[in-house]
Amino acid sequence: MLAKLMSYFLLGVVRFLTGSQARWYGCPPKAEQRIYFANHQSHADMVLIWAALPEELRSITRPIAAKDYWTKTPFKQWITTAVFNAVYVDRQASPARTPAPAPATEAAGNAAPALDSAAETAAPGGPDPAPEPAAPPSPEALRAALPDSDPLAPLVRALESGDSIVIFPEGTRGHGDEPQPFKSGLYKLAQMFPNVVLVPAWINNVQRVMPKGEVVPVPILCSVTFGAPIALEPGEERRPFLDRARRAVMALREV
């Protein structure tokens, strides 16, 4: 009950200070599993997106929160846990494992019958048959290869449970008009959860509400614009996808 009352209080405060306008430009507010990814300029970004979502989406959407910042005090930890239902993320990255290839001896043993068969059917003196390209790891294999210490692990668990999440692919707050290059987390999540809808969002003006180092918010009209979903294309490489996702966020500035 206390958390519910606090959520109503915060909604009122945030909407009074910012207007918290949500603009659904490229997709409707639909109760489906989504990854919302947005620019990052303030610790208030998480709160603004939370307040901009309609109640039926807010209840199934979990923003990420930097563990080192949002657990500094018992009150911050209670707010992010009980009110926002946030996913804590450690900002110290750990390398993820990739599915291990079969041992050389085992692979050679498995390949021998196929090579013998190919040799029997190939014309004498003809070219060797081309090797079959290795299939990419399945989403399930990628998730299984992720160590518990990886910063993405809490997000993977949240998505596996059916929640939607809000992430900031820059990793740290930007200081200019354009977001910094996106880090690889969004790409990895898109690989692991190909059926989850990826929705770009642009947060406008929130850095002026709570500038870095300030503790007293300033009333400024803010908005969150949600754009058309994007998807990871078959065979698309990491950097082209991340650059395309970044452009999708930046394009919403002009909407």
Side-chain angles (χ1 to χ4, degrees):
M1 178 60 70
L2 183 58
K4 193 73 171 177
L5 291 174
M6 179 58 76
S7 70
Y8 289 142
F9 172 75
L10 285 175
L11 276 174
V13 170
V14 172
R15 288 174 178 174
F16 172 76
L17 289 173
T18 69
S20 189
Q21 298 177 346
R23 303 192 298 171
W24 298 90
Y25 175 73
C27 63
K30 185 178 178 183
E32 62 184 359
Q33 191 176 25
R34 292 174 169 180
I35 297 174
Y36 299 95
F37 60 97
N39 58 312
H40 189 27
Q41 296 185 329
S42 167
H43 285 303
D45 292 339
M46 176 186 74
V47 182
L48 187 65
I49 286 192
W50 172 82
L53 291 172
E55 185 174 0
E56 63 271 18
L57 299 189
R58 201 161 56 241
S59 63
I60 60 173
T61 303
R62 304 180 65 186
I64 71 165
K67 188 175 182 179
D68 59 316
Y69 177 83
W70 287 103
T71 60
K72 277 184 178 179
T73 67
F75 179 71
K76 282 183 179 179
Q77 185 166 359
W78 178 78
I79 283 285
T80 49
T81 302
V83 178
F84 300 138
N85 193 25
V87 182
Y88 290 127
V89 173
D90 284 315
R91 291 191 277 192
Q92 298 298 322
S94 298
R97 301 193 313 269
T98 54
T105 54
E106 179 183 340
N110 291 339
L115 292 175
D116 290 343
S117 176
E120 292 173 3
T121 56
D128 293 335
E132 289 291 333
S138 67
E140 294 77 13
L142 290 172
R143 297 200 294 268
L146 196 73
D148 291 338
S149 59
D150 192 284
L152 288 181
L155 305 184
V156 169
R157 290 194 292 268
L159 289 167
E160 286 179 330
S161 69
D163 293 325
S164 295
I165 60 173
V166 180
I167 68 172
F168 305 101
E170 295 171 78
T172 57
R173 288 180 291 169
H175 303 289
D177 293 332
E178 295 187 354
Q180 301 175 82
F182 283 3
K183 296 185 177 179
S184 61
L186 178 62
Y187 176 75
K188 293 177 181 178
L189 292 175
Q191 287 182 308
M192 295 179 195
F193 297 93
N195 296 323
V196 175
V197 181
L198 308 176
V199 177
W202 177 260
I203 303 172
N204 186 47
N205 254 357
V206 72
Q207 75 277 13
R208 296 171 60 189
V209 174
M210 186 70 76
K212 189 173 183 179
E214 299 294 329
V215 294
V216 179
V218 179
I220 296 286
L221 188 64
C222 301
S223 64
V224 181
T225 303
F226 298 94
I230 70 168
L232 178 63
E233 301 295 337
E236 188 173 17
E237 297 293 332
R238 177 179 60 89
R239 182 44 54 189
F241 169 77
L242 293 174
D243 289 344
R244 183 163 63 87
R246 181 173 175 267
R247 290 194 299 270
V249 170
M250 292 171 56
L252 299 173
R253 293 182 303 177
E254 311 302 327
V255 174

